[in-house]
Amino acid sequence: MVVGQTAVVVDELRTAFWVAAFMSALCPDYERTMTAGDRALEGCCAGSMNNSHKSPPRSLRRPARYGPSAVTALAVLGLTLASCGEKGTSTRDEGNGNATASADTKVLWLGDSIAGAEAPALGAALKASGAEFNDSSSDGGGTIVDSGEKITQMISDDTWKQLGKDIKSFGPTVIAYQVTTYDWGSQDQQRAAYEKVVDTAKDAGAKMVFVSPPPIKIDGFYRQHEAQMRTAPKAAAEVAGKSGGTAAFLDASQVWGTDASAAKAQRAADGIHNCQQGAAAFAKWFTDKLGKQENFTPASVDSWAQESWTGDERYSKLGCAA
């Protein structure tokens, strides 16, 4: 009995350790606010880990089948994330978590399956803030760039057709495109596609927002296109910078960092997608950025972090904790 109880305590300490590591990376002030007891707890937990758990990349890629569930972890993260917001800028009622949001903000979300794994939390965060959200990301596709290869010709053609339908049916005020792992081709081809989507958004009366992708594990499939995948965000940033204010570029390395194997990247077991905690971190960051752009105050994290989106089937398919 004592051994079993000790195992549970160690598992809980291990989860607390990763929460602390996650928050230290996401919130600069978190490290400075830790008490001596917190640091002792972190040291104790770190000492209890075996060699594989001393390596953040390995342990985070492995689905957690023990200790507190993802929902419990998100409850902790929600409370801590809420304390990481900028002070003195919020107009929400802190007593009930309500937000002063623009009911006219309608976000159309585009991208590949990586964007799809971020979408459940992003939709929850935006809807809690009073905005509308339509996830039009595509598993195994989503690119708007035609590199001349057959696969990107087919994918980009489908993406452009779907975008036209979404604009007519949804009427977005913001079209947000996360650069995909299929945005291959030369920089000229990338720029041409990004300029086209900026013009498309402008014609639809919407603001265009480009988002850089998270760092991912480069496997055999992506290896030959790695260089092109690296130039795509730069091309998107360049196009946004020359758009005269009709487009914006958001650098998501503020959330994920630049190393796919690092703890901050929060990749799932496949090294490419994210689990619920990563989705929540991204959703908070993006909603804060968009709130400043669209002049609305994001809802507090604890008002949406523990909602039904955490049980989305894509997370179980990725081997994420329930």
Side-chain angles (χ1 to χ4, degrees):
M1 176 66 74
V2 173
V3 173
Q5 291 175 339
T6 301
V8 171
V9 171
V10 169
D11 285 340
E12 291 177 347
L13 290 176
R14 184 183 290 115
T15 298
F17 173 78
W18 288 119
V19 168
F22 167 80
M23 290 313 307
S24 294
L26 185 66
C27 178
D29 290 332
Y30 180 74
E31 181 73 17
R32 291 194 293 271
T33 59
M34 290 178 68
T35 66
D38 294 329
R39 295 185 188 282
L41 174 63
E42 182 180 279
C44 173
C45 182
S48 72
M49 295 181 182
N50 59 29
N51 289 335
S52 67
H53 282 98
K54 289 180 181 178
S55 170
R58 296 286 184 185
S59 62
L60 287 183
R61 284 201 292 267
R62 223 176 259 130
R65 296 299 182 187
Y66 48 77
S69 67
V71 175
T72 303
L74 281 169
V76 176
L77 290 176
L79 294 174
T80 314
L81 281 169
S83 69
C84 290
E86 294 182 271
K87 297 178 180 180
T89 61
S90 175
T91 58
R92 75 171 61 90
D93 179 353
E94 297 296 344
N96 57 27
N98 291 333
T100 303
S102 170
D104 297 328
T105 301
K106 303 176 71 175
V107 180
L108 178 62
W109 180 240
L110 307 177
D112 55 15
S113 60
I114 299 175
E118 297 160 351
L122 184 56
L126 287 170
K127 290 174 182 177
S129 301
E132 292 185 47
F133 179 78
N134 183 7
D135 174 24
S136 195
S137 61
S138 174
D139 291 346
T143 186
I144 58 174
V145 182
D146 180 357
S147 69
E149 298 181 52
K150 186 175 181 179
I151 184 173
T152 59
Q153 287 177 335
M154 293 190 299
I155 294 174
S156 62
D157 184 57
D158 287 342
T159 302
W160 283 109
K161 288 179 180 178
Q162 186 61 48
L163 176 57
K165 294 177 181 178
D166 289 336
I167 288 174
K168 290 181 179 179
S169 63
F170 184 60
T173 60
V174 175
I175 298 177
Y177 177 78
Q178 180 167 279
V179 174
T180 81
T181 54
Y182 292 90
D183 283 20
W184 306 336
S186 67
Q187 291 186 59
D188 286 340
Q189 290 172 318
Q190 291 167 342
R191 278 191 292 265
Y194 300 149
E195 289 169 352
K196 179 180 177 181
V197 78
V198 169
D199 290 339
T200 300
K202 184 178 180 180
D203 291 343
K207 178 72 176 286
M208 186 67 213
V209 176
F210 294 103
V211 183
S212 65
I216 66 169
K217 175 183 177 181
I218 301 298
D219 57 19
F221 177 78
Y222 291 122
R223 183 69 63 187
Q224 62 181 320
H225 298 290
E226 184 178 5
Q228 298 165 323
M229 290 165 63
R230 288 179 177 174
T231 61
K234 297 177 182 178
E238 180 183 336
V239 169
K242 295 180 178 179
S243 69
T246 59
F249 177 83
L250 300 181
D251 182 4
S253 66
Q254 297 171 24
V255 182
W256 310 120
T258 57
D259 182 357
S261 65
K264 186 174 182 178
Q266 300 185 79
R267 295 302 88 194
D270 65 357
I272 296 174
H273 302 86
N274 57 262
C275 289
Q276 296 96 323
Q277 291 90 337
F282 176 80
K284 181 191 183 302
W285 172 81
F286 182 87
T287 306
D288 284 348
K289 293 290 186 181
L290 190 67
K292 292 177 181 178
Q293 175 183 296
E294 298 299 304
N295 195 31
F296 69 82
T297 302
S300 58
V301 177
D302 57 1
S303 70
W304 55 264
Q306 300 177 64
E307 297 301 317
S308 60
W309 68 267
T310 60
D312 191 289
E313 66 177 359
R314 73 188 69 205
Y315 297 126
S316 60
K317 291 180 179 178
L318 287 169
C320 303

